């Protein structure tokens, strides 16, 4: 559980830093939207500074000082200015190496903010439902999947999804 909390804190710090990458031109028009390239760069920088991770495609590779010992696959998703009031169900699949985005299904519109649900399907086709979250504005979502081999062959491995949802800063 401590490892899960540490990975969650690492993702939240990096995601918070990434949410400042809003499009300044659109912001003057009252539209809050993320500049994806800048957001990813900011996220990568914080993952390296705070956790010693380096990105390789859609995974973060740990250093000797990182919390995890195996690569940390992830998916980023942005909920924009026009859609944050609509319920959203994200479905992801972990295939043993990569965390893949499968689908996003929109639902009911709620004036106070839509409900975000995330399901991760494991290699064994087990559906892991993360706790639902209510969106309070346009948001950056990052889901990572920790899948670590045990230190000793007799011990169980550690496998679990972690999510960070941060409102875009404006």
């Amino acid at each position: 559980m401590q490892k899960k909390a540490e990975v969650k804190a690492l993702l939240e710090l990096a995601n918070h830093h990434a949410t400042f990458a809003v499009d300044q031109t659109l912001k003057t028009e009252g539209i809050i939207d993320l500049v994806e390239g800048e957001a990813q760069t900011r996220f990568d920088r914080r993952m390296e500074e705070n956790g010693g991770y380096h990105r390789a495609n859609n995974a973060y590779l740990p250093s000797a000082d990182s919390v995890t010992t195996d690569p940390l696959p992830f998916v980023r998703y942005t909920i924009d200015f026009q859609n944050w009031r609509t319920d959203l169900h994200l479905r992801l699949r972990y295939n043993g190496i990569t965390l893949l985005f499968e689908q996003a299904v929109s639902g009911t519109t709620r004036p106070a903010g839509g409900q975000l649900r995330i399901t991760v399907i494991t290699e064994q086709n087990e559906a892991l439902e993360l706790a639902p979250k209510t969106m309070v504005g346009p948001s950056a979502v990052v889901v990572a999947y920790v899948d670590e081999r045990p230190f000793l062959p007799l011990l169980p491995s550690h496998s679990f999804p972690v999510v960070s949802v941060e409102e875009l800063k404006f």
Side-chain angles (χ1 to χ4, degrees), residues 77-90 104-117 133-139 141:
Y77 189 88
T78 302
I79 300 164
D80 65 19
F81 179 74
Q82 296 175 322
N83 294 306
W84 70 270
R85 288 186 174 94
T86 303
D87 288 352
L88 181 64
H89 184 192
L90 299 178
V105 178
S106 296
T108 306
T109 299
R110 301 171 195 260
Q115 185 179 74
L116 174 63
R117 291 183 23 234
K133 301 191 179 293
T134 300
M135 295 176 277
V136 295
S139 302
V141 178

Side-chain angles (χ1 to χ4, degrees), residues 51-126:
Y53 288 88
H54 301 279
R55 185 166 61 94
N57 298 318
N58 291 330
Y60 284 98
L61 306 178
S63 67
D65 298 329
S66 298
V67 172
T68 61
T69 56
D70 291 329
L72 189 61
F74 74 98
V75 169
R76 290 184 68 247
Y77 189 88
T78 302
I79 300 164
D80 65 19
F81 179 74
Q82 296 175 322
N83 294 306
W84 70 270
R85 288 186 174 94
T86 303
D87 288 352
L88 181 64
H89 184 192
L90 299 178
R91 183 178 166 102
L92 311 170
R93 181 172 299 274
Y94 179 67
N95 67 10
I97 299 170
T98 307
L99 187 61
L100 303 165
F101 176 80
E102 281 194 342
Q103 72 181 133
V105 178
S106 296
T108 306
T109 299
R110 301 171 195 260
Q115 185 179 74
L116 174 63
R117 291 183 23 234
I118 299 170
T119 303
V120 176
I121 308 300
T122 67
E123 288 177 278
Q124 296 78 27
N125 281 327
E126 179 184 5

